[in-house]
Amino acid sequence: MSDPQQWHGTTILSLRKGNRVVIAGDGQVSIGQTVIKSNARKVRPLAGGSVISGFAGATADAMTLFERLEAKLEQYPLQLTRACVELAKDWRTDRYLRRLEAMMIVADAQVSLVLTGTGDVLEPERGVIGIGSGGNYALAAARALIDTDMEAEAIARKAMAIAAEICVYTNNNLTVESLAC
């Protein structure tokens, strides 16, 4: 049985289709069986809008990671993969950062990546990524829809709606950011 004081709730989905990359995130934050907030913003642009990102996990930890990633993107402009690898190195080796409990999806016009606290920087095989409590539901729905005539943002919205119907820690209050590829 899970700890009733454990924070739950995030579904983040990213996909690439045609000339768009999209990251969508729900707005629900829960503790135990109580919804604390229904309109949290877990997806945001970085690096002057050239990168989009979404997080799953502890909010304060994710904000720290956003700030650190922003600094790495300033250090390595237009090199998202390198900035992420450098952040992952810090995340694994820095005593403070090692305690952060979050995952991130980041994307620019060329690449989409997942960053984890274990130092992983992963590029999805099919251009579709889902993280968080409803991430696998959204991922499965998006994979099923990716070969249809639907556009990237429509797929993301539909997949997130499906995840919200299944996962009690996911809602339909979405934040969606996209970039041209």
Side-chain angles (χ1 to χ4, degrees):
M1 188 157 117
S2 68
D3 176 3
Q5 294 304 307
Q6 184 177 353
W7 290 84
H8 285 282
T10 296
T11 299
I12 304 293
L13 175 69
S14 178
L15 64 97
R16 289 177 174 275
K17 183 170 182 184
N19 64 349
R20 301 300 294 172
V21 59
V22 175
I23 297 181
D26 79 310
Q28 184 167 309
V29 177
S30 304
I31 185 167
Q33 297 175 338
T34 305
V35 175
I36 301 299
K37 187 172 183 170
S38 64
N39 64 345
R41 185 171 168 82
K42 304 169 197 170
V43 175
R44 62 187 55 211
L46 300 173
S50 65
V51 173
I52 52 179
S53 179
F55 74 88
T59 305
D61 293 353
M63 294 304 132
T64 299
L65 292 171
F66 278 144
E67 290 171 7
R68 297 285 181 122
L69 180 56
E70 192 90 67
K72 294 295 183 186
L73 289 166
E74 287 175 13
Q75 189 176 357
Y76 305 104
L78 304 175
Q79 298 179 63
L80 180 60
T81 302
R82 175 139 188 222
C84 289
V85 167
E86 294 300 324
L87 175 63
K89 285 180 191 177
D90 290 351
W91 199 348
R92 277 188 64 95
T93 59
D94 183 278
R95 183 170 283 194
Y96 168 72
L97 290 177
R98 250 187 313 199
R99 294 193 175 109
L100 299 182
E101 296 180 14
M103 291 180 74
M104 296 177 74
I105 295 176
V106 296
D108 67 7
Q110 287 79 40
V111 67
S112 297
L113 303 167
V114 177
L115 285 77
T116 73
T118 58
D120 294 318
V121 178
L122 307 168
E123 185 174 1
E125 206 172 281
R126 296 175 57 191
V128 183
I129 309 167
I131 61 173
S133 57
N136 285 337
Y137 305 120
L139 173 67
R143 282 188 178 176
L145 296 169
I146 199 79
D147 292 328
T148 68
D149 291 336
M150 294 173 70
E151 293 184 7
E153 186 170 330
I155 292 171
R157 288 183 181 280
K158 179 66 175 173
M160 292 294 289
I162 291 168
E165 290 175 2
I166 299 168
C167 178
V168 296
Y169 299 111
T170 303
N171 71 12
N172 282 309
N173 190 348
L174 301 182
T175 302
V176 180
E177 295 283 345
S178 68
L179 294 172
C181 298

